[in-house]
C-alpha cells in the first residue's frame, strides 16, 4: 500500500507529447483550461487528455486537490465490446454517450508576452516560452479533444453469482485496462458468499486505488492508498473478511483498478512510500500499520 501524492499548484501550461493522459479526480474541483475550451471537473471525474493537448488546471481551492494520473503510450479507448460496428455505445454498456462531458466556451486569447509551456517528450520535461498565448485558437475540427466522464455514471453489473472483473472495465489501452469499482448489490443467490474468492491473476498485475467507502475485503487499507498484487501471486480477502461478508446485501466501495498486462515496474519514489509489513496482513495475527 502507498499514498498518492497531492497535485502541485500549476503556474504554467503543459503538453504531453509522449502519451495520452487520464486523470481521476479524487479530491477537488475546478476547470481544465485547454486549447479546445474549458472542461469543468469535480470529485469522481475521469478526464481524458489526448497527447499534444496544451492545458492548465485551475482549481477552485489550490491547496486541496488529489489527482490520480495514468499515462498511456497507446490510446485510451472505450472497450470494444461496448461498441457496435458504427462506434455507437451498445445498450448493455455500463454508460452511454450522454455521460460524456465535452469542452466548451472556446476562448481566443489574442495575447503576446512570455507564456511558459512545459513539454514532455521521451520522459523528460523541456521548458519552452511561447511569445503568443497557447490558446490563441479561433476554432478546431475533428475528433481529437479532451473529455470527461464521472465514475458515478458507470452502472455496476451484478448477478446471481460473483461477476468476473471484466464487468467493471471502464477504459482499455494497448497494454492495460482500467476498471471502476462502485457501490452496488452483491450476488443475490441464496448461498452466495459476497466476498470475492482468492485467486491468482495470470495475464495481468492488479493495481487497486482506494477512493472511498468500507473496504470490507481488506484490513488496514484506507482512502488514497494503492495495493499491488503481481500476476501469479495468490491474493484475496483478508482473514475474517469472508465471514464478515455473509449476509451483506450491497457494498459501498469506490475504487479505481488498473490491470497492466506487462509486469509493473516500481520506482524508488514509490518504494519510499511502501507499508513494508502490508503483506503480513493476511496472517491471522494482529497487524498494525
Amino acid at each position: 500500500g502507498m499514498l498518492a501524492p497531492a497535485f502541485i499548484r500549476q503556474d504554467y501550461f503543459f503538453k504531453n507529447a509522449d502519451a495520452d493522459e487520464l486523470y481521476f479526480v479524487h479530491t477537488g474541483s475546478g476547470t481544465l483550461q485547454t486549447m479546445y475550451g474549458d472542461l469543468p471537473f469535480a470529485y469522481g471525474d475521469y478526464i481524458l487528455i489526448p497527447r499534444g493537448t496544451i492545458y492548465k488546471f485551475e482549481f477552485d481551492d489550490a491547496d486541496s486537490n488529489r489527482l490520480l494520473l495514468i499515462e498511456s503510450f497507446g490510446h485510451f479507448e472505450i472497450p470494444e465490446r461496448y461498441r457496435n460496428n458504427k462506434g455507437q455505445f451498445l445498450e448493455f454498456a455500463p454508460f452511454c454517450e450522454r455521460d460524456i462531458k465535452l469542452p466548451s466556451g472556446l476562448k481566443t486569447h489574442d495575447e503576446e508576452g512570455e507564456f511558459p509551456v512545459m513539454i514532455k517528450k521521451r520522459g523528460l520535461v523541456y521548458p519552452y516560452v511561447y511569445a503568443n498565448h497557447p490558446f490563441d485558437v479561433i476554432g478546431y475540427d475533428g475528433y481529437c479533444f479532451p473529455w470527461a466522464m464521472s465514475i458515478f455514471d458507470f452502472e455496476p453489473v451484478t448477478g446471481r453469482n460473483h461477476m468476473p472483473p471484466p464487468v467493471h472495465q471502464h477504459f482499455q489501452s494497448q497494454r492495460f485496462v482500467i476498471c471502476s469499482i462502485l457501490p452496488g448489490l452483491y450476488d443475490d443467490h441464496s448461498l452466495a458468499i459476497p466476498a470475492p474468492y482468492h485467486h491468482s491473476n495470470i495475464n495481468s498485475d492488479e493495481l487497486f486505488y482506494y477512493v472511498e467507502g468500507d473496504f470490507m475485503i481488506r484490513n488496514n487499507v484506507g482512502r488514497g492508498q494503492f495495493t499491488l498484487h503481481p500476476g501469479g501471486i495468490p491474493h484475496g480477502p483478508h482473514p475474517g473478511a469472508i465471514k464478515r461478508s455473509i449476509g451483506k446485501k450491497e457494498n459501498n466501495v469506490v475504487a479505481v483498478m488498473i490491470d497492466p498486462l506487462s509486469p509493473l515496474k516500481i520506482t524508488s519514489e514509490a518504494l519510499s512510500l511502501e507499508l513494508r509489513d502490508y503483506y503480513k496482513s493476511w496472517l491471522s495475527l494482529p497487524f498494525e500499520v
Side-chain angles (χ1 to χ4, degrees):
M2 50 191 176
L3 297 174
F7 196 79
I8 60 173
R9 193 183 309 243
Q10 188 179 339
D11 56 2
Y12 51 86
F13 299 91
F14 184 73
K15 176 202 284 190
N16 192 332
D18 278 338
D20 288 9
E21 296 177 333
L22 186 70
Y23 284 92
F24 174 74
V25 182
H26 192 173
T27 303
S29 61
T31 302
L32 178 74
Q33 299 180 348
T34 81
M35 53 200 292
Y36 301 96
D38 288 346
L39 189 57
F41 63 85
Y43 163 56
D45 280 344
Y46 287 106
I47 308 171
L48 197 156
I49 305 177
R51 67 198 64 187
T53 302
I54 299 178
Y55 67 86
K56 177 191 278 192
F57 276 101
E58 287 292 338
F59 296 108
D60 293 331
D61 180 354
D63 298 314
S64 179
N65 302 284
R66 184 183 292 271
L67 305 181
L68 171 66
L69 169 60
I70 306 160
E71 292 183 285
S72 176
F73 297 108
H75 293 296
F76 286 106
E77 298 176 335
I78 300 300
E80 290 178 22
R81 66 181 184 280
Y82 296 163
R83 295 176 275 150
N84 66 16
N85 60 4
K86 303 293 192 298
Q88 297 168 305
F89 292 0
L90 294 164
E91 286 184 305
F92 68 79
F95 42 75
C96 73
E97 284 88 349
R98 290 189 299 275
D99 298 323
I100 295 175
K101 304 174 186 180
L102 301 176
S104 62
L106 179 69
K107 300 182 180 70
T108 297
H109 293 262
D110 187 11
E111 300 173 37
E112 294 183 353
E114 294 188 357
F115 303 93
V117 181
M118 301 295 187
I119 301 178
K120 184 174 183 179
K121 186 63 180 175
R122 298 186 67 82
L124 298 175
V125 176
Y126 299 89
Y128 276 71
V129 177
Y130 280 28
N132 295 83
H133 195 291
F135 300 164
D136 189 0
V137 177
I138 61 172
Y140 68 93
D141 189 22
Y143 300 94
C144 180
F145 47 80
W147 53 276
M149 180 186 295
S150 174
I151 193 173
F152 299 111
D153 285 332
F154 186 100
E155 296 299 326
V157 177
T158 59
R160 287 201 307 157
N161 299 309
H162 181 69
M163 293 281 114
V167 302
H168 304 294
Q169 188 180 348
H170 207 142
F171 302 97
Q172 69 181 28
S173 190
Q174 288 176 317
R175 299 298 300 162
F176 65 94
V177 301
I178 298 172
C179 299
S180 294
I181 313 299
L182 285 154
L185 297 176
Y186 282 126
D187 335 329
D188 58 13
H189 191 284
S190 60
L191 298 178
I193 295 176
Y197 40 79
H198 294 83
H199 60 281
S200 297
N201 291 11
I202 300 302
N203 293 324
S204 70
D205 292 348
E206 183 179 298
L207 187 66
F208 227 81
Y209 179 71
Y210 294 84
V211 179
E212 305 289 347
D214 173 21
F215 309 120
M216 180 190 69
I217 64 168
R218 295 275 182 267
N219 303 332
N220 310 98
V221 170
R223 181 180 185 272
Q225 286 186 307
F226 284 101
T227 58
L228 169 63
H229 295 281
I233 297 179
H235 65 281
H238 269 122
I242 292 177
K243 190 174 182 179
R244 287 199 304 269
S245 78
I246 295 175
K248 294 282 182 69
K249 298 300 182 186
E250 56 188 337
N251 84 78
N252 68 343
V253 170
V254 181
V256 176
M257 186 169 73
I258 307 164
D259 288 354
L261 304 182
S262 300
L264 194 71
K265 295 180 180 179
I266 304 174
T267 64
S268 55
E269 177 69 21
L271 287 174
S272 72
L273 301 170
E274 182 186 12
L275 299 176
R276 296 192 177 277
D277 286 340
Y278 173 72
Y279 73 97
K280 296 180 183 177
S281 57
W282 272 266
L283 301 174
S284 297
L285 305 173
F287 167 71
E288 297 294 333
V289 175

